[in-house]
Amino acid sequence: MARIESDEENGERILDIEVEQEMETSFLEYAYSVIYSRALPDARDGLKPVQRRILFSMNDMGIRPDRPHVKCARVVGQVMGVLHPHGDSAIYDALVRIGQPWAQRLTLVDGHGNFGSLDSGPAAMRYTECRMAPAALAMTQGLDEDVVDFRPNYDGKETEPVVLPAAFPNLLVNGASGIAVGMATNMAPHNLIEVVAALKHLLSDPAATTDDLLRFIPGPDLPTGGKIIGLDGIRDAYETGRGSFKIRATTRIEQVSPRRKGIVVTELPYLIGPEKIMEQIKNLAEKKTVTGVADMKDLTDLKNGTRLVIEVKNGINPEVLLEQLFKHTKLEDSFSINAVALVDGQPRTLSLKHLLQVYLDHRLEVILRRSQFQLAKAEDRLHLVEGLLLAILDIDDVIAIIRSSDDATQARTRLMDAFELTEVQATYILDMQLRRLTKLSRLELESERDALLDRIRDLTAIVNDESRLKQVVTEDLDRVAHEFGTPRRTVLLSTSGVSPVAAALAKGPIEVPDGPCWALLSSTGLVARVDTEDALVDLGPRAVHDCLASAIRTRTRADIGVLTSAGRLLRLGAIELPSMPATSTAVTLQGGVPLKELVELDPGEKALALTTLSDQTYGWAMGTRNGVVKRTNPEVLGKDSWEIIRLDEGDEVVGAVELLDDTPDLVFVASDSSLLRFPASKVRPQGRSGGGMAGISLAPGATVVFFGAAAPDSCEVVTVAGSSSALPGTDTGSVKVSGFELYPSKGRATGGVRSHRFLKGEDVLHLAWVGPAPAVGAADSGSPIHLPDRDPRRDGSGTPVAQPVAAIGTRRVG
C-alpha cells in the first residue's frame, strides 16, 4: 500500500507501508475519536461532547427559559458550524433526546412542536423550536467566572468548555447510553432528591459504603414510572458498575365495558411505547401464543398520560392473561447497567460511590475556582473604592489637577503623587466621566467598601477552609434539589408485589372454569355475578346500598334469561356479568353494570327478573297491569329474544317469576290496596303465543302494582300508599309492613282482600312488594330507606317515611 507525504524540500513523495499497519493506525485513531469525542459521557457533568456543545451554544446565544423559542435548525447550525463538525442529524437527535420527558428525568431542553414520542421520531428541525430548560441554566451557571477550563474548537478560532459546571449530578439523574468501539455505557436515571441526599452524606463521611449510600438511593427512578422487580441486580450495579434489573408496567384489572374486563396499563417500562406493545400482542395473537385478547385501545393523551386498554374475552382469566403478557411482551423488560464514563480522559467502569465522588470532586473544584474568581473581583473593586475614598476627600483638587495637566500621563502621575494612589486607582479616576466624579457620595462608597470587606472575608474563608467549601457545596445541592426535585415515580419491589392469592390465581387456567354462581339484579337495574356455591346470607343493614330485585343460582358458563315488562325473554351469558368476590357485600352491587348495556331494551321497557334457562325450570309466571296472569311452559328456544306473552294494547307485564314447581302462591296487589293470593296450580300453562287468563278482578280505575310468587311461611308484604294527584317520585306517603300469612288464599279471578287502610289524603298504592323477609326499601338513587316494624293487622294504616320509596326488595337470598 502506498501513502503520499509532503516534504518542503523535495515536494511530495510516496511511501510504501504495510496494509496491516495502516489499518491498525487508522482504526485506533477512529476508536479514540469515537470514545473521547462522541459516544461516552464525562463522569463530571454526565454529558457527551455534542450535548455539552448544544447547551453551551444555546447559553452563548442567549436562548434561555425567559426568552422566546427559536428554531432548532438555528441551534443545530450554530453547533455544527462552530463546535461540532459532524452531521446535523446527529446533533438534532441529541438535542431532541435531552428535551424528551419520557427519556430524561430532568429535561435540559424545552421543546416546542413535535419532539416525537416513544413510538415515533420528531418532526424535522425546520419545524420544531427550542430553548434552554431551567435545569440547563444550572448546568451552565458560572461559565463566565473561570470555573472550568476552555479549549480551542476544531478550527482554533473559538473556544469551548472542557466540561460544564453542572450544579446537579446529571449522569445519575438523567442516565446515559452510548456505544463506542469495544465498549458501551448504559445508565439508568435516578431521583434528584435521593442523589443529593447521598452526595451530602458522602461529603460528610468519605468512608461511606455502598450499603450506606443505598439508604439514600434505593434504586433508579425512571421517567415513565413502572415497577422495578428485584433489587439484587441494582446492588450489584452500585457495587461493581455492572448489573441488571427487571421493569414491569403498572397495570390493573378494570371493568372496561359492560360486557368485558380489561387490563389497563398506566405506566410502561423505560423507553417502551404503547404501539410496540400493541404490535407485539397482535403478533402473539396471530401465532396463538397468547389467547384471550378481544381488543386493544391506546387512550394515551397529554391530560391523562399513558392509558393502554387491553380488553379480555369473556371467560378468560385476566390475571393469567396478564402473566402471559408479562412473559412474552415488553410489558416486562430488563435494563442492564454498564456504568462506563470518562474520568480524567480515561474510560472507566464506576461504582455508585465512585460516580458520586467524581461529581463531588468536580463541584468542589468549581466552587473553589468560582470563589477565587469572585474574591479577585471583589479585591480589585475594593482597591478602586479605596482610591475613590482617598480622592473624594478633596474632589476639587482632583478636578484641578486633571484640568491643569498637559496630558493623561501627566495627570495620572500628579494624582498618584498628590493622593498616594496606585496607577490602577489613578487610571480609574481619569477614566471616569466628570459628572460621575462630582456625584460620588462618601457614604455610598464607605457602605460599598464595608460590603466588599464582608464579601472578601466570606470568600477567603471558602478558599482557605475546606469545611466551609463543603458547606457551600451542600447549600448549592440543597438549592438545586428544592428547585428541581420531584417525588419518586418508580416503585421498587423486592418481589413481584402480587399477593399469594392473586399469584395462585394467575398460575391457574387461562379460561374461567365453569362453576356455581349467583346472578343478581338490583332495583336500580345493576347486574353482577358472585362466583360461589354457598347461599348468600343476610349481610346486615349497613351493607345495603341497593336492594335485590332478583337473584338466581346458575353456573358461570350457563345462559340466563331476563324477563321484561314487554313480555320478552332475553338470553344473556352469565360469564358476561361482572364478577364480584364472594366475600364482598354482594347485595350492594357497586361493582355491577347497568343491565341495559348488556341487553338491548326497547324504549320504556324494564327488566323485571332473572331466570335460568336450564331443563330443570318449571316455566314462568307473569302478571300484567290489567290483571292478566299467564304460566308458560319451558320450551327449546333458539334465539336471543322471545315473546312469551301476547299483550293487549296499553297493557304491560308488572311482574314475572321463574317457577321451580307449582307449589308457590301467586300474588297480585292492586292500586286500590286489594291483595289476591291463589295457588300457581290454578293457572293452566299456555304456549308462548297465548295471552293468559284472568288473574285478579280489578275495581273500576284500579291497576296492578305488583305480581309475584311467595311462600306462606317466610314472606312479608310491604305497601306504600299516597295520593294519586302527586307528581311521581315526590309523595313520601306511608309504608306498611305485614306478614304474608295474614292474607287468606282465594280463588283466581276474584277481588282479593284489603291490604292497606288509606289515611286522609291517600287514595292509591304507589308501590307494593311481597317476598322473603327482611324487606329493604331504596330511594331512586339506591340509598337505603328504613322501613317501619311489622304491623300485626292485615288492613291497618301505614307509617309516614322521610323520603319517597322508589323500590322494595330483599337483602337475603338463598
Side-chain angles (χ1 to χ4, degrees):
M1 179 177 177
R3 184 172 64 187
I4 300 176
E5 286 190 353
S6 298
D7 191 320
E8 294 182 358
E9 296 181 359
N10 302 321
E12 295 181 350
R13 59 176 179 171
I14 300 176
L15 298 177
D16 291 328
I17 60 173
E18 297 293 334
V19 174
E20 293 83 357
Q21 179 183 353
E22 179 65 22
M23 289 293 294
E24 180 179 352
T25 303
S26 298
F27 182 77
L28 288 175
E29 291 177 354
Y30 165 74
Y32 182 89
S33 174
V34 170
I35 292 173
Y36 296 102
S37 301
R38 300 181 71 173
L40 297 185
D42 192 297
R44 294 170 291 180
D45 61 5
L47 297 173
K48 301 177 185 179
V50 63
Q51 297 170 332
R52 186 180 303 113
R53 288 162 178 165
I54 288 170
L55 296 182
F56 173 68
S57 295
M58 294 179 75
N59 181 72
D60 198 43
M61 296 167 68
I63 312 173
R64 296 180 176 84
D66 57 345
R67 307 284 180 83
H69 293 82
V70 302
K71 288 290 185 182
C72 291
R74 179 180 171 188
V75 176
V76 171
Q78 177 72 10
V79 174
M80 182 171 58
V82 178
L83 301 174
H84 199 71
H86 299 284
D88 58 347
S89 61
I91 300 173
Y92 183 52
D93 288 344
L95 185 151
V96 167
R97 181 176 174 81
I98 60 177
Q100 293 176 332
W102 57 87
Q104 302 281 292
R105 192 62 178 81
L106 194 58
T107 56
L108 302 177
V109 166
D110 178 13
H112 187 223
N114 181 10
F115 260 51
S117 68
L118 285 166
D119 295 302
S120 60
M125 70 180 79
R126 62 182 177 273
Y127 300 121
T128 57
E129 297 178 342
C130 67
R131 64 183 177 187
M132 297 177 72
L137 289 181
M139 291 291 294
T140 58
Q141 187 177 15
L143 280 175
D144 56 347
E145 295 182 317
D146 191 33
V147 294
V148 294
D149 294 333
F150 278 70
R151 64 187 173 195
N153 67 336
Y154 68 91
D155 61 4
K157 296 180 180 179
E158 303 285 345
T159 59
E160 62 173 322
V162 175
V163 65
L164 293 186
F168 64 91
N170 178 66
L171 185 58
L172 276 170
V173 172
N174 281 326
S177 63
I179 300 175
V181 178
M183 62 186 67
T185 185
N186 198 36
M187 301 182 65
H190 290 75
N191 187 275
L192 175 61
I193 298 175
E194 295 174 355
V195 174
V196 166
L199 286 169
K200 290 165 59 180
H201 179 75
L202 185 60
L203 197 60
S204 61
D205 182 14
T209 64
T210 301
D211 290 333
D212 295 333
L213 298 175
L214 279 169
R215 292 191 293 111
F216 303 97
I217 307 179
D221 186 22
L222 308 174
T224 51
K227 301 176 181 178
I228 292 179
I229 308 298
L231 305 181
D232 292 340
I234 295 174
R235 177 181 172 77
D236 292 340
Y238 288 168
E239 188 74 38
T240 65
R242 297 179 184 273
S244 64
F245 56 87
K246 289 184 177 180
I247 316 169
R248 270 194 176 185
T250 301
T251 60
R252 59 175 179 265
I253 308 298
E254 290 185 6
Q255 193 76 32
V256 296
S257 71
R259 290 181 179 270
R260 289 197 178 109
K261 286 190 174 182
I263 300 169
V264 179
V265 183
T266 55
E267 293 177 350
L268 287 167
Y270 186 44
L271 300 182
I272 301 298
E275 290 184 12
K276 184 173 184 178
I277 299 295
M278 295 175 70
E279 182 181 358
Q280 288 181 330
I281 295 176
K282 180 180 178 182
N283 293 336
L284 291 172
E286 290 175 353
K287 297 177 182 178
K288 300 189 182 301
T289 305
V290 170
T291 59
V293 177
D295 194 11
M296 291 180 291
K297 298 176 183 177
D298 184 9
L299 305 180
T300 302
D301 56 32
L302 295 176
K303 181 179 180 181
N304 300 310
T306 301
R307 184 175 174 84
L308 176 62
V309 179
I310 305 169
E311 292 189 10
V312 182
K313 291 180 179 178
N314 289 329
I316 298 298
N317 189 329
E319 286 82 4
V320 178
L321 176 59
L322 179 58
E323 285 299 318
Q324 291 185 356
L325 295 179
F326 280 144
K327 180 179 179 181
H328 296 290
T329 71
K330 289 292 185 178
L331 284 177
E332 181 176 284
D333 195 17
S334 61
F335 189 97
S336 297
I337 295 178
N338 190 25
V340 177
L342 297 177
V343 179
D344 297 330
Q346 301 294 324
R348 292 177 55 189
T349 302
L350 304 172
S351 66
L352 175 63
K353 181 177 179 180
H354 290 157
L355 283 168
L356 296 173
Q357 190 62 58
V358 169
Y359 174 76
L360 279 179
D361 293 341
H362 173 58
R363 280 306 290 176
L364 288 168
E365 182 182 356
V366 166
I367 300 302
L368 178 61
R369 293 180 60 166
R370 184 184 71 185
S371 300
Q372 291 172 340
F373 178 85
Q374 294 177 353
L375 177 59
K377 286 288 187 181
E379 288 175 343
D380 291 343
R381 178 58 184 171
L382 178 63
H383 185 60
L384 296 178
V385 170
E386 288 175 341
L388 290 174
L389 283 171
L390 290 174
I392 203 172
L393 294 175
D394 199 349
I395 191 66
D396 294 334
D397 289 347
V398 172
I399 296 173
I401 290 173
I402 295 174
R403 294 186 62 185
S404 62
S405 300
D406 295 334
D407 52 28
T409 302
Q410 184 183 19
R412 182 184 305 111
T413 303
R414 294 176 63 189
L415 285 174
M416 293 169 60
D417 294 339
F419 297 100
E420 297 182 355
L421 300 176
T422 64
E423 184 176 351
V424 174
Q425 293 171 328
T427 302
Y428 181 73
I429 293 173
L430 286 174
D431 291 341
M432 292 182 66
Q433 294 177 344
L434 184 60
R435 56 196 172 108
R436 291 183 58 198
L437 191 61
T438 57
K439 291 184 179 180
L440 286 175
S441 169
R442 180 179 178 181
L443 292 177
E444 292 178 359
L445 290 173
E446 289 178 345
S447 176
E448 183 179 1
R449 179 195 61 190
D450 295 339
L452 286 170
L453 288 172
D454 292 339
R455 178 68 173 154
I456 289 171
R457 279 192 296 270
D458 186 49
L459 291 171
T460 302
I462 296 173
V463 172
N464 296 330
D465 187 353
E466 184 178 359
S467 62
R468 180 71 180 100
L469 178 63
K470 291 182 177 181
Q471 181 183 352
V472 175
V473 172
T474 300
E475 292 171 354
D476 282 359
L477 289 173
D478 284 337
R479 185 162 49 251
V480 168
H482 176 74
E483 184 174 357
F484 302 113
T486 55
R488 168 171 278 277
R489 299 176 185 173
T490 303
V491 178
L492 302 175
L493 300 173
S494 58
T495 60
S496 64
V498 180
S499 67
V501 176
L505 184 64
K507 293 179 180 179
I510 189 168
E511 292 190 354
V512 176
D514 187 22
C517 67
W518 283 87
L520 308 176
L521 170 68
S522 79
S523 63
T524 56
L526 299 178
V527 288
R529 186 183 82 245
V530 181
D531 297 324
T532 178
E533 188 173 5
D534 301 330
L536 298 178
V537 298
D538 184 7
L539 298 175
R542 291 185 180 181
V544 176
H545 166 73
D546 200 353
C547 56
L548 288 176
S550 180
I552 59 170
R553 195 194 297 264
T554 181
R555 297 190 67 82
T556 307
R557 294 190 171 274
D559 286 337
I560 61 175
V562 180
L563 299 166
T564 75
S565 60
R568 295 198 300 160
L569 178 61
L570 308 178
R571 185 196 297 272
L572 179 65
I575 195 68
E576 298 181 44
L577 304 181
S579 176
M580 296 192 304
T583 56
S584 73
T585 55
V587 296
T588 66
L589 291 184
Q590 294 187 34
V593 297
L595 177 64
K596 62 182 180 181
E597 297 186 7
L598 299 179
V599 295
E600 186 174 350
L601 298 175
D602 295 332
E605 186 177 15
K606 297 179 294 184
L608 300 177
L610 302 178
T611 178
T612 61
L613 297 179
S614 65
D615 297 337
Q616 299 178 354
T617 185
Y618 200 71
W620 304 284
M622 292 152 285
T624 74
R625 188 170 300 280
N626 292 339
V628 174
V629 65
K630 179 183 179 183
R631 270 184 60 192
T632 302
N633 282 329
E635 300 181 24
V636 178
L637 304 174
K639 300 188 300 181
D640 290 336
S641 173
W642 315 278
E643 290 186 0
I644 55 176
I645 183 174
R646 187 183 70 250
L647 294 172
D648 294 336
E649 185 176 355
D651 200 3
E652 67 172 347
V653 177
V654 295
V657 293
E658 178 185 5
L659 298 176
L660 300 180
D661 51 44
D662 61 359
T663 59
D665 285 350
L666 301 182
V667 184
F668 278 97
V669 181
S671 58
D672 62 354
S673 84
S674 298
L675 185 150
L676 175 62
R677 160 189 173 188
F678 56 88
S681 58
K682 299 295 184 180
V683 182
R684 176 175 50 84
Q686 295 180 334
R688 287 190 293 116
S689 59
M693 60 186 68
I696 182 174
S697 178
L698 295 173
T703 59
V704 174
V705 295
F706 173 81
F707 172 82
D713 298 335
S714 60
C715 293
E716 59 187 13
V717 178
V718 181
T719 51
V720 181
S723 172
S724 59
S725 61
L727 294 174
T730 61
D731 189 6
T732 58
S734 63
V735 178
K736 172 177 169 287
V737 180
S738 56
F740 184 57
E741 69 279 0
L742 299 176
Y743 300 87
S745 178
K746 301 184 68 176
R748 180 183 60 80
T750 61
V753 296
R754 186 170 63 184
S755 62
H756 194 118
R757 182 185 299 275
F758 294 135
L759 298 173
K760 183 178 180 180
E762 298 176 346
D763 59 355
V764 68
L765 286 184
H766 291 310
L767 196 64
W769 179 84
V770 181
V776 176
D780 188 58
S781 63
S783 59
I785 296 178
H786 176 71
L787 299 181
D789 296 334
R790 183 179 291 196
D791 192 332
R793 300 169 298 169
R794 175 178 61 78
D795 60 346
S797 301
T799 302
V801 290
Q803 56 181 321
V805 180
I808 302 172
T810 183
R811 61 171 180 259
R812 182 192 295 270
V813 295

